[in-house]
Amino acid sequence: MGIESSCDDTSAAIIHNGKVLSNIVANQEVHAKYGGVVPELASRAHQQNIVPVVQQAIHQAGITKKDLTAIAFTKGPGLMGSLLVGTSFAKSLALGLNIPLIDVNHMQAHILAHFIKEENGKIPPFPFLCLTISGGHTQIVKISKHFEMEILGETIDDAVGEAFDKSAKILGLPYPGGPLIDKYALQGNPKAFSFSKPKVGDLDFSFSGLKTGILYFIQRNLKENPNFIKENLEDICASIQHTIVEILMDKLKNAVKHTGIKEVAIAGGVSANSEIRKRLLLAEKHWNWNTYIPKFEYTTDNAAMIAITGYLKYLDNNYADVSVKAEARLKVTE
Ligand code: KG4
Ligand code: ZN
């Protein structure tokens, strides 16, 4: 069983021989009206959700508690209060059932979700590159073995998910705004407005300038036309999304050029974005890349990715001691 509680989703999943039997995710609606995740409310909601979510995962998998062979949980990175709920629950369950406890790095899990066995699913060969894009991270990682990872480049300020969410907030959309920008962008013209791209190292990212650029652009236009957002929402969203995805693709192209590796995966919440998915498929055709795009349910936070990572560690007898602690800050390489 995998348990995920690093941010605002409470999730439990059961995996058997690399195949997912159940993957239950309880989203926390409570944060939408605050424009972002409120840590105290998140940990309280995890406490309320964790028992029913775990029970449902067991029930849907068609097993009983006694069939479980190990408990994997997210050790970090994430919000400390949220992590503590999953960590202490996993410890108690493993102790109670007298089975191994396995600690999982959430960022590694986003990447290792590609090793979930799916019908007609492709599993990336080593070494491969992964663009890890979420609300907290933006990295290009080289994966040489399951647990041998190297960060080739990363954001020097905001994560790409933040760029989506903060842009959405400027447009008056609720949190998390990424999926809404994606939705409105489908109806818009991506070339309607242009935003300047950041100038940073070949493999690094920066999104804070883009966010400020978008803010000034909107303020300027609202002065002339108070209905500017309403009248142009689709075009604005399409243009923002297009700029962000162009930045991501430019960096991926650089990474492929630098490493000579053409096996390219995406992972994390933002890999649900329809344009990045489309562009990656085009890259298969035009540049001969082999690309690996996760199923939607394994893009945003979920416990199936924790369970598969736990399973891979289980095969190595790589267990945690009951003294293991949650860690709010944890690199993908740790
Ligand atoms: O991986 P995740 O669930 O949580 C973190 O570990 O951060 O990622 C959440 C992020 C949010 O910023 C959300 O807006 C973004 O993923 N996201 C999207 C889409 N779906 C989720 N961004 C753009 N387009 C989407 N379709
Ligand atoms: Zn995540």
Side-chain angles (χ1 to χ4, degrees):
M1 167 182 283
I3 294 173
E4 155 66 24
S5 73
S6 66
C7 189
D8 60 340
D9 295 303
T10 320
S11 180
I14 311 286
I15 247 179
H16 180 58
N17 288 338
K19 283 193 185 149
V20 175
L21 301 185
S22 64
N23 181 34
I24 308 295
V25 184
N27 304 115
Q28 302 180 357
E29 304 292 337
V30 61
H31 308 288
K33 59 175 180 281
Y34 298 101
V37 176
V38 184
E40 183 53 32
L41 295 179
S43 51
R44 228 178 293 165
H46 282 305
Q47 282 175 339
Q48 284 162 358
N49 292 341
I50 193 137
V51 172
V53 162
V54 164
Q55 275 173 338
Q56 211 180 325
I58 289 174
H59 178 75
Q60 210 180 81
I63 61 163
T64 69
K65 277 201 306 280
K66 293 203 173 65
D67 297 317
L68 294 172
T69 49
I71 309 291
F73 69 96
T74 303
K75 173 185 169 184
L79 300 169
M80 188 44 95
S82 292
L83 290 167
L84 282 173
V85 178
T87 307
S88 37
F89 186 89
K91 281 185 189 180
S92 323
L93 192 57
L95 269 176
L97 295 172
N98 196 23
I99 54 176
L101 176 71
I102 300 173
D103 58 322
V104 169
N105 177 320
H106 180 91
M107 296 315 297
Q108 290 182 352
H110 269 301
I111 297 173
L112 296 174
H114 284 285
F115 292 85
I116 292 172
K117 286 187 196 141
E118 292 284 338
E119 216 136 303
N120 306 320
K122 285 194 297 180
I123 289 184
F126 300 119
F128 69 94
L129 301 177
C130 187
L131 175 68
T132 310
I133 39 182
S134 73
H137 292 82
T138 306
Q139 294 180 329
I140 298 178
V141 181
K142 178 182 163 187
I143 299 93
S144 304
K145 284 186 195 160
H146 289 129
F147 297 100
E148 200 178 302
M149 302 190 181
E150 182 192 349
I151 300 169
L152 302 182
E154 63 188 327
T155 183
I156 58 165
D157 43 55
D158 291 352
V160 61
E162 278 179 280
F164 270 106
D165 296 339
K166 287 178 179 173
S167 304
K169 198 170 177 181
I170 295 169
L171 300 175
L173 301 172
Y175 176 87
L180 293 170
I181 292 201
D182 193 355
K183 185 179 122 195
Y184 291 117
L186 288 174
Q187 316 293 329
N189 171 10
K191 302 266 169 72
F193 307 107
S194 68
F195 302 103
S196 51
K197 292 200 229 163
K199 290 177 188 62
V200 279
D202 263 8
L203 301 179
D204 287 330
F205 301 85
S206 164
F207 290 104
S208 75
L210 177 65
K211 175 194 65 194
T212 314
I214 292 168
L215 177 66
Y216 290 163
F217 164 82
I218 295 293
Q219 285 175 341
R220 224 172 29 242
N221 280 283
L222 279 179
K223 247 186 223 157
E224 283 167 25
N225 172 11
N227 289 324
F228 178 74
I229 295 179
K230 218 158 128 203
E231 287 167 9
N232 298 281
L233 187 61
E234 284 94 351
D235 284 349
I236 301 169
C237 288
S239 303
I240 292 173
Q241 177 169 287
H242 180 71
T243 309
I244 294 177
V245 173
E246 279 282 303
I247 296 170
L248 298 176
M249 289 305 294
D250 283 351
K251 301 297 176 167
L252 260 185
K253 267 191 277 182
N254 291 343
V256 169
K257 206 163 115 196
H258 278 278
T259 59
I261 298 170
K262 288 189 168 185
E263 308 291 332
V264 182
I266 50 173
V270 182
S271 67
N273 183 265
S274 60
E275 184 160 338
I276 186 80
R277 294 168 87 90
K278 213 170 11 182
R279 292 288 297 274
L280 227 61
L281 285 179
L282 285 176
E284 285 223 317
K285 244 207 249 155
H286 295 152
W287 306 324
N288 264 330
W289 294 6
N290 291 317
T291 62
Y292 304 87
I293 301 171
K295 268 177 85 173
F296 270 109
E297 53 261 56
Y298 307 141
T299 55
T300 44
D301 290 347
N302 66 88
M305 69 184 199
I306 306 303
I308 188 71
T309 308
Y311 171 70
L312 294 168
K313 287 183 104 171
Y314 181 78
L315 295 179
D316 286 344
N317 296 321
N318 189 351
Y319 307 148
D321 192 76
V322 73
S323 64
V324 63
K325 286 199 171 66
E327 287 184 37
R329 292 175 177 274
L330 197 61
K331 285 197 163 170
V332 71
T333 46
E334 286 174 326

